[in-house]
Every structure is written in C-alpha cells, then in structure tokens.
Amino acid sequence: MNEPYDPKAIEERWRDFWREKGFFKADIEDTARKFYYLNMFPYPSGKLHAGHGRNYILGDAIVRFLIMRGYNVLNPMGWDAFGLPAENAAIEQGVHPRDWTWRNIEEFKRQFRAWGVEYDWDREIATCEPEYYKWTQWLFLKLYERGLAYRAESEVNWCPHCDTVLANEQVVNGRCERCGSVVERKKLTQWFFKITAYAQRLLDDLEKLPDWPERVKLMQKNWIGRSEGALVTFRSERGDPIEVFTTRPDTLWGATFLVLAPEHPLVEKLTAPERRAEVEEYRRQAARQTEVERLSTEREKTGVFIGAYAKNPVNGEEIPIWIADYVLMGYGTGAIMAVPAHDERDFQFALKFGIPVVPVIAPPSGVARSYLMRGTFQEGLKGALAGAGFDFEEKDGALYVTLAEKDRERYISLVQGYLKPGSWTEVVGAGWQFVFPDEVANVGSLEEERAVLAKCQELEPAVRERRTVAELLWGVEFYRELLFHAEYGEMINSGPLTGTPGDQAVRRTCEWLEERGIGRYAVTYRLRDWLISRQRYWGAPIPMVHCERCGAVPVPEEELPVLLPDVPFIGKRGLADIPEFVATTCPRCGGPARRDTDTMDTFVDSAWYYLRYISPNDEEKAFDSELVNRWLPVDLYVGGVEHAILHLLYSRFITKALYDMGYLSFDEPFKRLFTQGMITYPAYWCPEHHWIPPGEVGEGNRCPHCGTELQVQVLAMSKSKKNVVPPDELIAKYGADTERLYTLFMGPPERDIEWSEEGVRGAWRFLSRLWALITEQLPRIKDVRDPVAPEGLDRAGEALWKKLHLTIKKVTEEFEGRLGLNTAIAALMELTSALGEYLEGETVDVRLVREVVRNLILLISPFTPFVAEELWSRLGEGGSVLETPWPEYDQRALAAGEVEIPVQINGKVRARLRLPSAVAEDEEALQEAALADPVVQARLAGKQVKRVIAVPGKLVSIVVG
RNA sequence: GCGAAGGUGGCGGAAUUGGCAGACGCGCUGGCCUUAGGAGCCAGUGCCUUCGGGCGUGCGGGUUCGAAUCCCGCCCUUCGCACCA
C-alpha cells in the first residue's frame, strides 16, 4: 500500500514557502495587468472561527487563481483595530487596549498562516496606530475645510450602557446594535459629516455599479430614501411662516389640520396660553420616550392641540395646529399638513380627535356607495332603482346601493324623489354628497362640512354627538372603506385645479404653487448626516481645539497626529477623563484652550483604508494619488452583507468627497462587490446558564449545568453565542486543505449555510482518494514528458481527455464569473472519479494520465494549496504551482466524439441515441437517425407521426397522434 | 404595511437564451475488510408500481412539441425598511 494522506506531515512544509517566495507581493509600479482584490478587513476581536473562513478562504482561492492567470495581484490585509470591545477588555482586565488588540492580531495572523491564507504582509495596516490615524485626522480636517464636517447640537441616540452616542445606523429597532440596551434620546453638541450633501450622487451613482448585488444597491437606495414633493408655506394667525413638506401637493385642498413634531421650534411661540400646560406635558412625555416606544407600530396616535390656527394658502381656510409624535423633527421640515381623506395616519388621527375630513381626490375605482336607512324612503324606490338599472341589496329594510360614478347625478335625482321628509341619504365616492329632499349638499370644504353636519343634527337627534361628518359616515360600516384612500386620482373640491387628472395632479399643483409663490417643488431624503463623535478613548481623536476667544479651531496639519494619551487607566468618559490631554493652547491665538475630547466613529477609519494599502508607509501623505488612481477602484471587494449600508455607503461618500477635492480621479471605490453568506451552526440557550457550547450539550438537548431542556436555533457562528467551530481543531484532525475544501464546497458562497461535521469528512475522503490515486500513479508518470493529443486515444481515453478539458473550462469560468466554486469543486470530483475509472480500464495511456494528473493538481490548487504543492513537487516538473500558468482548455473538446441525444415521444424520454457529434449537430441527419432507431421505431409502430422537432446537439421530440 | 430574495429527494445543493430534473457531497441501506469501529473500501438510493409503466421542482391555472425555468393568481419562508409626510 502507498503512503497514506497525512496532512500534518505535508502542510507545515509549505506554510512559509509561499511567503518566502514572495508570490503574494504586488509589484506596485506595474499596473499593466493589475488586479486589486480586497477582503473587508476584520476587527481583531479574539480568535478566528470556521465561519470567518467563508470570507478569507474564498478570497485566498480567488487570489491564487488570479496569480496563476498571470495577474499582478494586490491582496492586502489589515486591522480595523479601534473600537469598543478593546476598551471594554481594557476596563475589565486592566490591559491596555493596544496590547489587547495586538495580541489578537498576532493570533489572527497565526491562524491565517495555518489556513494557508496569504497576503501581501508588507502592506499591513492597523487603524489604531498613529501612523494610520494621523491620516484619519487629516481626512477630518479636509472635510472640515470643505464644510463637510460641522458641529451641531442635536438630539442624539444615547446608549446608557456604552455611555456613548450612536449613529442612526447603529440603532437597531431602538436598541444599541452592540449591547442591546434601549437607546435614549439626549441633546448634545456633536460632530457630523455632511453626507446628505451627497445624497443625490450616492443614489444616482448606484447606476454606475452594475457588478454590485442588486440587493445591496436596493438597501442603499431605501436608506437614502429620496422622495419628491413640494414645500408649502402655511401661516399662523400672527403670520409666522410654517413650512411643510408633502409628497402629495395635489391633496392640499383637503388639509384640515397641521401637525408639528413636538420638538418643533415654533411650538413654543405658537402655543396659546390656555393650552401651554398640556402642550408642555406632552412634549416632556415625548422627549422621555425611547425610540422603541415611539416607533412601536401598533400604538394608537397621540397628540395635543396647541390652541393656534394656520391659514391654508390655497383656500384661506383656518385649520388647527396640533403636535404629535408621529411627526418626526428629523425628516422634512418637522411639520406636516394633514390630509385625513388621503393619508392613513392622518385619517386615524382625525377620527380619534374629531377633526373634519374633506375628500379632494376621486378614487380611481370610480365606484360610489349609498346607504338608505330603513324608513327613510317611500315604497316604490326599490322598483324605481331596479327599473333604472341600479345595483342594490336589501337587508333588514335598509338599502345598500353600489353605483358607478358616472351614474351619480341620475341616481341622486331619482332617489331624491323618494326620500321621506326629514330624511336624507349620502353618496360616498368621488367626494361625499348628502341628498336631502330639498337640496343636495356637497362636503367640499370645511364650511360645507359644518353646514352639512349642522343640518343632519337638526333633523336627527341621534347624530347630535357626532363631531364631524366623517364620524357620522364612519358609523355606517358600508361606507368605511371608501372614507380614505391614498391613491392618485382626479382632483375634486380643489378650487381652480378641480378636474385635473390624477397623472398630472402633482406636477400641475407644483406649477400653480410656484406661480403664486406659495410653495415649490422639493426633494427630501431620509438619509441624515453622519454623526461621528464618540465619547470613548479607543478611537482617533478629533483634531479640533476649543478656544474661548476663537471658538472651534482645527489642529494644524503639521501638528498631526493628535496622539491618544498613553494612560494606564481608562475612564468611562474616555478622553474627557484625562485632564492632561484636555489642556492645550489655541493654535490660532496661543491662549488657553481645550482639546475636543471626542474620538471618531470607527466607520471613519474604515471609510478610506483601501486607499492606504497602496502606500502604507508613506509618512508625507495619506495616500499616493498617482498610484491610487492607477490601482483603484478595487476590482473585487468581498465581505459580509452586514456592511451593505453603513461601511459601503460611508466609503462611497468619502471617495466622492476626495474626488471633489481633486485627490482622486474616480468617484466609486469598489468596482465589483461580492457579499458572502454566513456559516451557521446550532446555538443552545439555557434560560439560566445562557449560551451553551454545542460540545457540552448533554443527552436530549439538556443543559450540562442544570438539566433544563435547551432551546436550539441555527444561527451565524459567533463567539458570543458560543456556537463556533475552532479551525485549530479541524486542522489538527483533517488538515487545512480539508477545511478549505469543505468551506468552499458546502454551497454557493453568497448563501448562508449550516456547517456540518459530516460534510467535512466528505471533503477529507475526497482528498484521501485524490492523494492515493495520484501517488499510486507517480512512479509511472513521473518521467513521462510526451504531450497527448485526442487523435491517438481510444474511446475511453478520448472521453477522459474531453472530461479534462470541460473541467478546465468549468473551473475557469466559475472563478471568472459568478464564483460558484461549489460547482467547480464538484467538477473536480467528477474528473477524479473519471480518472479512477479510466485507470481500471484495459488500456492506459500514461501520457494522458500524466496530463490529467498535472492539470488536476493545478486546478485544485486554489482550493487545497498544500496538497497541490506537495503533489506538484513529487510530480517533478519543478517550481511551484503558483508560478505555473493556469491550464487552458482545448476547443476541440467541445466538439469531438460522440454525444448522447435523448428522444422524446409526446414529451417523454423514450430512447437515448449515441451519435457522432457531426450527426447530432445536423438537424436533418439528427431527425433521420432518431426515426431510424429501433427503439423509437417500436414505439412509433401503428401510430401517426404528426410532428418531429430536432434540436441540434440537444434532443429530438416526436409528436404522435 | 412596503420592498427584495427564495421555495427542487431524508439533508446541503446541481441544472436558467425553455430541451435528459436531482450533478457533486452528506445521510441512509446492503456487502467487504477488521479483535473492534463513530475508520476505510464497493454497490444501491426521488416517490409509487400490478414491473407495462405512472407521478414528481410550494399550490392552482395558462403558453408550448417540450416548463424547475416563461405568463397570471395564491400560499409559505428569510432578509431589509418600517408612523419618512
């Protein structure tokens, strides 16, 4: 028996080989055939687990492929090294965050080496080093110079546990993304980056990114949240302008109240004295509320009337002003016009607080309804309705009429004649009309609404407690679904614009408003400015000084970096707890001043790091524009979807800002983006002992500590949930190649997939088989050097030869295209099996065996580089696989030989023909061959052939009667 | 609620200008080897079957010689956003 496959014996031999040979070093000056491959750099938080492999092993395989294809590959790695966990560890364990961080970095590097994952380590960067964050600070100053960094007081998201503010993006469902605490709202003076100035370009330029996943682009699009509409100025009774934003200016005539956000600055000024106490109370309550409470969707609307009125500029109506927390200060103008007839939220609010509703848009359905209460009409109406062709139902003596809008007038005049004195009915559809025996009244304005209500109440005591017409109609179930709709439609009850069709309504109204100077077309975005201040120690200090005389003064560029003070103790307030850091002198006037004690959000560090890799040791500038412009945009950027919004949007923003400043000649940093899925694994939860490592779980899913039955969930591997598989153990048991192979084989790389120990063994078995097969053949193929051509081969040989070349094609195309490396590996497994079968045949051509073995080794080397190098060196061709060109497939393999053609009869496969490809590719010959086949003939006996469809190279389909 | 992606054997998944459904791997079954095996090797493995064949890609329709793939209508799952005016 041959030497068994023993990864321990072979892997260590190659671990330093590639590095020593310099295969992964990019030639930075030569961009003729450059490829910038980039993995999102990690936060060094502890140890790598098998789940991380999804990203790094994939990247390593791609890079090895590219190197063999002859690319000059730039493939750097670094550390997103600032951040809260380092600081927390420091506070808990008394170690300096830098020491903690570097210890983790060393561990990560050891694990990369064990995996055979290689980088150009000369370009390593760590964002926590002064040599790096000096330039993060430089970036801040550049943005400040351009007016893109500013300081403002604002309501911020405050995490009480982390003692710091959070960006909107770091608040998930009202909770801190990191620790899960409920986020509070607090007013603080903070630094912001003006990303909103780039909102439109960030949105438009998504079009320039055809090689990004649609999903990611859509998420960014939603996040930016552009909406078009109009800004319209209402006026208070005293003439204060109140600007509102609306996407539905066509509903302006239906505005029956205004709502301001509780924090709106005008509230103070406008509130009537007698309403003040209640308004103040509501505002206090709103401020106290957490995001979670405020955002809970189920919540009933709340709000208070502030005792003031505003004039609707389009029709002069006086409408009440309310405050309510469903209006957000941070979006639009913080004030809305409420059109209850055409906005669901406004409708709920109006119904609850008894505010009138006036319909101003006809529903596109063109359907109207009318309800006739029992006893309100004379006998004979039913017959008349039926005779006139109206549709109605009768229930308990009441009539429910459904009519088309065009029949409205006809219906009204008919029904009016049958109403008993003192009764009425309504027609609810495109507008609401009340039909009395003596008149027809429309609800087309607030005035008319009052009049109709008054008349009804006079006639019918039972409706006297109804506050509005809407409330009255709401009492009739039959009308409810027609009282509010949010669709576009013909404008009604809208003064001069009445009759404007729905598809022109918004545009025409905007024009009309602009002509009169009442309002104008406007666009708003959901995107807010990027809050970058953090009250923490372990981050890049914001390079600003606060001087009593000069105000906020930037630290001069030549004084950078503003170093983090080297202190043994870190307080919870970060730099603000370190007096010797705070005290400084003003760079402008020389007087006493205080340093800004905020550090920057770590997303700032990672928003530009891909530029630094080009010249990581440059002491003169952040990056070398000339070289950066040649190497970027990054050709392929690979990372997790969790960064789809934050990191990627910020990086795009910073790139555009630097482009505008003239530092860059491109304005999108990442040409192609690939988001790999996560590896999941069962996680076990004990209510008392929390997360239990899967290895410790007892019989029947019991907690090893208390015996409680555990809850099992399949979740992304993560240290915090204790459901990780450590690579060290896998490598000790199976070797790194097996882990690499399984990681890439388990499924398409973009999908989330559950880790399986059995699957790992499958990969191991395959490698063992491959090893045995090749080492057995080595003695007889080692010295063979003659090339092989398909012509001289027998049938089995030709089939294998063909398989080889189809495999080369398949693997190459997966690497170059969609990265479905799982199917590439499947193809390599097939080729291996085919080789095994060939070797068991009668005649064996050693030239062909050598050719297959040689290419098999090369093709599999990106996946399993250790075993590939080992076998390659034993094959005796010399050199490394990494300096051997990637195999090219032979075109002839696509055409040569015989093919199998299925024959369908009435849609079912009834025969398979083996035909020379020349016949299979010729439509007529193919058809003839199919009809001549004995199996087919037997099937067709006694039946009439109606039609024959021969698809060259594919199949033959016969239709019989 | 809005938006997107997806639904294929016992499991992960293959197959997309419409052309042999289930590649490859796991698991399972049987056999071999072994003192033993949670190792390895070989064979089988979509379901049903009266062994002719029939049925099968979430469900129901449709287009087509032919549909996992295209069209219409539902159901379910996952993800993102969520009072955004």
Side-chain angles (χ1 to χ4, degrees), chain A residues 581-612:
Chain A
F581 174 81
V582 177
T584 188
T585 52
C586 171
R588 193 167 295 164
C589 71
R594 300 176 55 257
R595 282 198 187 281
D596 200 295
T597 56
D598 289 344
T599 51
M600 285 184 248
D601 180 5
T602 57
F603 278 111
V604 182
D605 308 329
S606 58
W608 73 279
Y609 78 108
Y610 46 89
L611 303 172
R612 184 66 183 172

Side-chain angles (χ1 to χ4, degrees), chain A residues 544-604:
Chain A
M544 295 292 294
V545 163
H546 302 284
C547 167
E548 272 176 39
R549 231 175 323 163
C550 315
V553 181
V555 172
E557 231 174 282
E558 55 279 11
E559 286 178 27
L560 296 182
V562 176
L563 285 171
L564 278 175
D566 204 350
V567 288
F569 168 80
I570 295 163
K572 271 209 130 182
R573 288 165 59 227
L575 294 174
D577 279 334
I578 305 167
E580 58 272 33
F581 174 81
V582 177
T584 188
T585 52
C586 171
R588 193 167 295 164
C589 71
R594 300 176 55 257
R595 282 198 187 281
D596 200 295
T597 56
D598 289 344
T599 51
M600 285 184 248
D601 180 5
T602 57
F603 278 111
V604 182

Side-chain angles (χ1 to χ4, degrees), chain A residues 821-840:
Chain A
L821 301 187
N822 54 322
T823 61
I825 293 169
L828 289 167
M829 289 174 167
E830 286 185 57
L831 179 60
T832 306
S833 302
L835 174 60
E837 278 163 38
Y838 176 73
L839 289 168
E840 276 165 29

Side-chain angles (χ1 to χ4, degrees), chain A residues 82-135:
Chain A
F82 271 136
L84 220 42
E87 196 165 324
N88 291 339
I91 292 167
E92 283 161 25
Q93 305 166 24
V95 268
H96 193 280
R98 158 183 280 138
D99 297 336
W100 183 86
T101 302
W102 277 103
R103 229 160 39 212
N104 292 337
I105 289 174
E106 288 313 315
E107 179 64 11
F108 271 40
K109 290 174 82 167
R110 182 189 68 75
Q111 292 183 289
F112 281 144
R113 180 179 170 279
W115 263 340
V117 168
E118 277 299 320
Y119 297 100
D120 185 347
W121 286 112
D122 291 350
R123 306 190 171 273
E124 178 180 4
I125 55 175
T127 58
C128 66
E129 292 301 285
E131 294 75 27
Y132 183 90
Y133 71 69
K134 171 180 181 176
W135 302 110

